[in-house]
Amino acid sequence: MSETSGETGGTPGERISDAEHAIMEVLWDRHPLSAAEVCDEVCATRGWSMPTVKTLLSRLVGKGALATEPAGRKFLYSPLIERSDYVGGESRRLVDRLFGGRAASLFAHLAQSEALTDEDLGEIERLLKEMRK
Amino acid sequence: MSETSGETGGTPGERISDAEHAIMEVLWDRHPLSAAEVCDEVCATRGWSMPTVKTLLSRLVGKGALATEPAGRKFLYSPLIERSDYVGGESRRLVDRLFGGRAASLFAHLAQSEALTDEDLGEIERLLKEMRK
DNA sequence: ACGTATCGACTACGATTGTAAACATGAGCG
DNA sequence: CGCTCATGTTTACAATCGTAGTCGATACGT
C-alpha cells in the first residue's frame, strides 16, 4: 500500500536499514560483486568484519533488495531495487514526516539553516528554469 | 563515552525514534502538556494506549529531548530541543547519506520524480528570489 | 483520615538491527 | 585422495524500538 506503483510482486516492502544501506551503496556503485569484494569496499570504512557483511547481504537478499547470481563457486550480488527508487522513497518519507509532504518546506528549511551553498542555489535556480519551460 | 551532555548547546546525542518523534510533534505544537493530554492527541491517531505514550515520554526524557515540570501531582512535558534543530538534523542526515551532502541533488531528485507540485515550485521560486536580493 | 483514582516508574516481551562466530560444503592443492 | 581454504548458511547475542501491563506513590473527595 501507498507505493508509487502496483509493485508487481517483486518490490521489497521491507525497509532497508542503515547498515544495509551502506552495502547497497557499494553495489549501486559497482555490480555484480562477491561478498569479499563488497567487504573490501566497506569493511575498512565502517570497521566491519566479513561475517557482518555476509549477514547484511543475506538480509538484503531476504528483503528482496539484492539478487544473487551464482558464479562458479561463489555468489555475485546485484541490486534489485534501483538507487533512485530507494532515494526517492526515503526522501518522500522525510518530507512527509517532517514537512507535512510539502517539499517547499524542506527547501525553506534548508535555505534558512544556511545549508544551501551558492552552488546549490545556482543549480536549483537552473533546474527551476528548466522545469518552467 | 561521555555522552549525555549537550555538545555545542544541548543537542541530545541520542537519536529520536519514529514513534518518539510523533510525541515530539505533539509537544512542539503545544506545550507543556501532561501525559494524558499528549495521549489525547496521538492515541487515537496512532492507535496507542496510555502506557505506550508514557513509555515514549519517559524515553524522551531519558534522551534529554523533553523536560518535565512538576505541576501539582502530575508532570508537564515540554520539548528541550527545538523542532527546527531536529528537522535540520534529520534533513542534513538524509542529504548527507543519500546525496553526498549536496542539497541541490535532493532538489533535483524531487524535481525529477515529480514530487514537486506547482505550488512547491512557485514557493521555491519565491524563496529563491528573496534570497537573491 | 481513609480509600480511591491518577500518574509516573519499573518491568516485560517480541521484532528489528548491528555485529559476529560457528558450521557446512564445495574447490583447488599437495 | 584427503586437507585446507574460501564462501554461503545458520545461529547468536546485545541494544534499540514498539507496544503495553503492573506497581507504588500521591493528591483528592468524602
Side-chain angles (χ1 to χ4, degrees):
Chain A
M1 44 203 1
S2 81
E3 227 59 80
T4 324
S5 62
E7 79 173 66
T8 335
T11 316
E14 329 267 0
R15 288 262 296 138
I16 289 174
S17 83
D18 209 64
E20 287 159 2
H21 169 233
I23 302 284
M24 293 302 293
E25 284 296 341
V26 172
L27 287 164
W28 276 322
D29 187 47
R30 197 158 53 94
H31 67 268
L33 293 183
S34 69
E37 288 168 319
V38 171
C39 187
D40 283 347
E41 295 288 330
V42 284
C43 284
T45 328
R46 312 266 304 209
W48 286 341
S49 68
M50 192 54 153
T52 300
V53 172
K54 302 274 192 68
T55 301
L56 292 171
L57 284 170
S58 295
R59 286 183 185 164
L60 284 167
V61 170
K63 288 181 180 181
L66 290 182
T68 54
E69 162 198 356
R73 65 168 159 293
K74 75 184 64 166
F75 272 73
L76 294 183
Y77 297 87
S78 301
L80 262 183
I81 70 181
E82 285 189 54
R83 189 182 135 88
S84 60
D85 278 352
Y86 175 74
V87 164
E90 291 297 301
S91 303
R92 175 168 303 280
R93 261 176 57 84
L94 183 97
V95 170
D96 282 351
R97 242 174 31 111
L98 268 46
F99 300 97
R102 306 229 153 280
S105 302
L106 204 205
F107 177 79
H109 193 90
L110 289 173
Q112 269 162 10
S113 61
E114 292 167 19
L116 296 178
T117 65
D118 276 348
E119 287 174 72
D120 284 331
L121 290 178
E123 186 164 351
I124 290 172
E125 203 164 26
R126 190 174 57 72
L127 284 167
L128 210 49
K129 247 176 221 136
E130 211 161 282
M131 299 187 71
R132 280 299 169 144
K133 282 196 306 210
Chain B
M1 336 269 231
S2 74
E3 213 63 57
T4 352
S5 62
E7 53 199 34
T8 336
T11 314
E14 328 268 1
R15 286 262 295 141
I16 289 174
S17 83
D18 208 64
E20 288 159 1
H21 170 234
I23 302 284
M24 292 302 292
E25 284 295 341
V26 173
L27 287 165
W28 277 321
D29 187 48
R30 198 158 50 96
H31 66 266
L33 291 183
S34 70
E37 288 168 318
V38 171
C39 186
D40 284 347
E41 295 288 329
V42 284
C43 285
T45 327
R46 311 266 303 208
W48 287 341
S49 69
M50 191 54 153
T52 299
V53 172
K54 302 273 193 69
T55 300
L56 292 172
L57 285 170
S58 295
R59 286 181 184 167
L60 284 167
V61 171
K63 288 181 180 180
L66 290 182
T68 54
E69 162 197 357
R73 46 108 172 307
K74 78 183 61 168
F75 273 74
L76 295 184
Y77 298 86
S78 301
L80 262 184
I81 70 181
E82 286 189 56
R83 190 182 135 87
S84 59
D85 279 352
Y86 174 74
V87 164
E90 290 297 301
S91 303
R92 174 165 302 279
R93 259 175 58 84
L94 183 99
V95 170
D96 282 351
R97 241 172 35 109
L98 299 176
F99 299 98
R102 308 229 151 281
S105 303
L106 205 204
F107 177 80
H109 194 90
L110 289 172
Q112 269 161 11
S113 62
E114 291 168 19
L116 297 177
T117 65
D118 277 348
E119 288 174 71
D120 284 330
L121 289 178
E123 187 164 349
I124 289 172
E125 203 165 27
R126 191 175 57 70
L127 284 166
L128 211 49
K129 245 175 223 139
E130 213 162 280
M131 299 187 71
R132 282 296 168 144
K133 281 197 308 214

